[in-house]
Amino acid sequence: MASYNTIKGLTVKYLSADPANPEDGQVWYNSTTGNLRVEGMVLAGSWASGGNMSTARYQLGGAGTQTAALAIGGSPNGSSSTSATEEYGGTAWTGGGSLPGAISYTAGCGTQTAGLQAGGANIPAFASTTTNEYDGSSWTGGGALNTATGTTGQLMGSQTAGLITGGDIVPGVPRGIANVEEYNGTAWTAVTALPAVRQDQGTSGIQTAALVFGGLQDTNPATPNTVLSSTLEYDGSSWTAGGSLPAARKNLGGSGTQTASLGYGGNPGATPTNVNITLDYNGTAWSVNPATLVAGTQRAGYSTTAPSTAAIMFGGVNPSITAATEEYNGPSTQIKNITTS
Amino acid sequence: MALFIYGTATNTGKGFFTHQDRQNFYLSGHPANVWVVGNNEKGALWLAEKNGVEKTKSEAQALVTAEVEAAQAAWDLLSDEQKAMSHRPSQITLP
């Protein structure tokens, strides 16, 4: 019988415990457990259920991480807005400090203890200059946006370095806007606009390295809207084209950085069913991630602050308005015993 | 053997379906608490453990259709401006 030494030209390390950071494919003998062991990639990325929010809603803002997230406002029915904030600790949602006013079609960014909410409005109004800052327990007013905007999915960064892109000003004409503004913790400043009007896009990244993908171009209520597949990258001063999504999509979620981003869910057009697809961006191109949401969902809350390997999505429309949460974990490696016979 | 098992079960939140479940069998969730589960041993066990009620495909489809029709009716009652901010829910055909 051939020995491992003969095959690999190496001897197997004899260790009393598993090594702290084994390389993929590394083999060793654990003398404590009496097992020959190997480090190998065995788990693909996947979405699992998280705790349900106390209130089903959509068009809400999100902030934080998978273990410390914030759900901000939203609409429970399409005809009214809520001022409710909920905090997530990794298992369950609990009530947080209420917003100064009810708001939906809004967006959030930052962390659970330093969150930022901007834009949106209280139905039947749709666009506003509202900005609020969260300190982990209560909201206080921030500097007003220079241009009123609505629609979730366009805010990223932090409470002291935020970026808001495009949006919707229904019932104004044109409905979509291309305005971009940066927040410094006190005031918003208009900066280089998007190349064209855009709303309902997915976003990720930070103020100086942002990513905008998909979305909707609504230039005039009298003409058909265009659902977009294009991606735009921002370097803190200008916008350039990135790799396109495999298919046009709007109202999708996004997490991660400009060079390692995750896009998920959304809707491909005016009436087709919501999608459960997850996409990866590597700074150049999008590819389909094998992990799927358990339910095709759009207009959900999500956190651009969360890394692409640990995303969180909550609420939304599937097509019912839902309180459900889904959590994404990226591919992982695992130590396995080797059995021989 | 059929590819899927159809059933209803209430999503209780964290742990209702795990990352390991998603590796073990196909799972998709739909309106009216309808779940489509891969027809293998682990999928069947998951539905049973969640106190799920197994349905035929046509029964499950009818539940989903009724729920979406209710969502469509609610959308139809919105104002024109509210409708302009969203789209009428579309029907779902179960796999």
Side-chain angles (χ1 to χ4, degrees), chain A residues 178-194:
Chain A
N179 302 57
V180 177
E181 298 190 36
E182 291 180 355
Y183 193 62
N184 63 6
T186 305
W188 290 96
T189 303
V191 294
T192 308
L194 299 168

Side-chain angles (χ1 to χ4, degrees), chain A residues 5 36 78 94 117 120-121 195 258 269 314-315 319:
Chain A
N5 183 289
L36 187 62
T94 55
Q117 171 270 321
Q258 193 183 68
F314 37 93

Side-chain angles (χ1 to χ4, degrees), chain B residues 13-31:
Chain B
K14 187 82 173 183
F16 181 70
F17 56 89
T18 66
H19 292 290
Q20 191 62 57
D21 291 332
R22 301 302 309 276
Q23 311 281 337
N24 290 342
F25 52 87
Y26 173 89
L27 182 67
S28 63
H30 303 276

Side-chain angles (χ1 to χ4, degrees), chain A residues 272-297:
Chain A
T273 304
N274 300 334
V275 298
N276 60 3
I277 295 169
T278 305
L279 301 168
D280 288 312
Y281 191 66
N282 63 6
T284 304
W286 289 94
S287 59
V288 176
N289 182 314
T292 55
L293 291 161
V294 83
T297 305

